[in-house]
Amino acid sequence: MIVMKFGGTSVEDAAAIDRAAKIVRGRLAEDPVVVVSALSKVTDQLIAMANAAGDGDRERALSLARGTRERHYVAASELLGTGVFAQIHSELESDLDALDELLRGIAAVGELTPRTMDNVVSHGERLSSKLVAAAFTARDIPAELVDARQCIVTDDTFTKAIPQMDATNDAVCERLRPLIREKRVPVMGGYMGATREGITTTIGRGGSDFSAAIVGAALDCSRIEIWTDVDGMKTADPNLCPEALRIKSIGFEEAAELAYFGAKVLHPSTVLPAVHKNIPVWVLNSRNPANEGTRITARAPHCRNTFKAIAAKKRVTVVDIIATRMLGAHGYLRTIFEIFDRHRCPVDVVSTSEVSVSVTVDSNEAIPLIAADLDQIADVKYGGRKAIVCLVGETLRDTPGVAARVFTAVKDINVRMISQGASEINITFVIDENDVPEAVQRLHTEFFSDPDPEVFARE
Ligand code: ASP
Ligand code: MG
């Protein structure tokens, strides 16, 4: 048994859905369960409609909804012959009519609750799963549409509802196992679920990966495939470094560190349910299915290179706080972090000495206000246009002398802050944004000119 999750770009239109069908057909012997996102950008549009309706702008809400309607009808007509089209058209129509009704209702009351928001946005996956299941059936795949709300049981924290694992595992097995036994291919929407009472919820943006991991873990499947539009994860951003290699295999912790510093492919925390059960997760490209992509496993594979990848995150501001007045006083870090917290400003890298603390934050408008608050207790300076560079690899733990190699490679670049996380699998430092291409290039040459063929592929 495997779970195949297709993201928004992998089902964005008729051509993409047709590609997805071919990919699934090639895996029928492995008993796939298919999880789909909404068509790309549809979730954003649904949120915009809901907000417009909530602001009382009924016309705008309904006009956005007309665009969504059109897009699904066009895809359906391109995918299906006349007879089947008529049937799926009326199924999509009833969802889309219900959506319009809902938007009119929201506009009439002029109030949008999180619960109603979830009802609106769940339409993205309701529609995509219907469309995909019909297209698969028309392409000789024995697809069976499954309503995710019968499988993913959540609490009622609307818009970021928490799946209740025991109930969900039972529901997934009960609903899906009989279908798989009959060689059917379940097709369900990701991202949404329902409370025990049956009220529709969603589990947070990007939640379809989470749905796929939950289903895969519940069914004890042998693999989860996350189909996207890139060839897996790379050793560096290919725009910065054309020699970047594909990472064939990466550990969960390594992937998590990279995601934190800007690798956008997938947020590994969403696949934790699978990793906990030692189920490998593959990131694959639906536009280039022959590519082997990247495999994420609980533990990193043995690798003769120290690092798996170099990530760089731009648009960072460094805030230096020199707290001479608080010398020796306890609780001063707490006081500082409380100020960031009050402004809802997450902090990334921190380095401290007895009297000074430097932190990085994403550049944002609140920084002058934060600095003004900090100014009450310390001397503060801040500067933008900085970047965080982060090298990640589990081999780092048992390799001496790595820091020397890293900083020798960038010895004439001005390094502002240095930190090595408690996980001991990354070295992180802060430089000027302008120096990023040069630094990444040099580090890539230093650490990847002789790549371990077991772990990296040149292509
Ligand atoms: N459609 C949802 C979103 O855009 C969930 C997903 O695609 O993973 O966030
Ligand atoms: Mg996604």
Side-chain angles (χ1 to χ4, degrees), residues 37-38 43 125 191 205-209:
S37 291
T43 306
E125 274 72 11
Y191 177 52
R205 291 307 303 273
S208 297
D209 295 334

Side-chain angles (χ1 to χ4, degrees), residues 5-8 36-39 41-44 47 121 124-125 190-192 204-210:
K5 179 257 169 175
F6 291 90
V36 293
S37 291
L39 275 54
K41 307 217 175 67
V42 165
T43 306
D44 289 334
I47 292 172
V121 292
E125 274 72 11
Y191 177 52
M192 60 172 180
R205 291 307 303 273
S208 297
D209 295 334
F210 194 23

Side-chain angles (χ1 to χ4, degrees), residues 14-38:
I17 294 172
D18 191 49
R19 280 195 296 271
K22 290 203 179 76
I23 295 168
V24 171
R25 221 169 33 216
R27 303 268 206 276
L28 287 180
E30 294 187 272
D31 294 332
V33 173
V34 174
V35 175
V36 293
S37 291

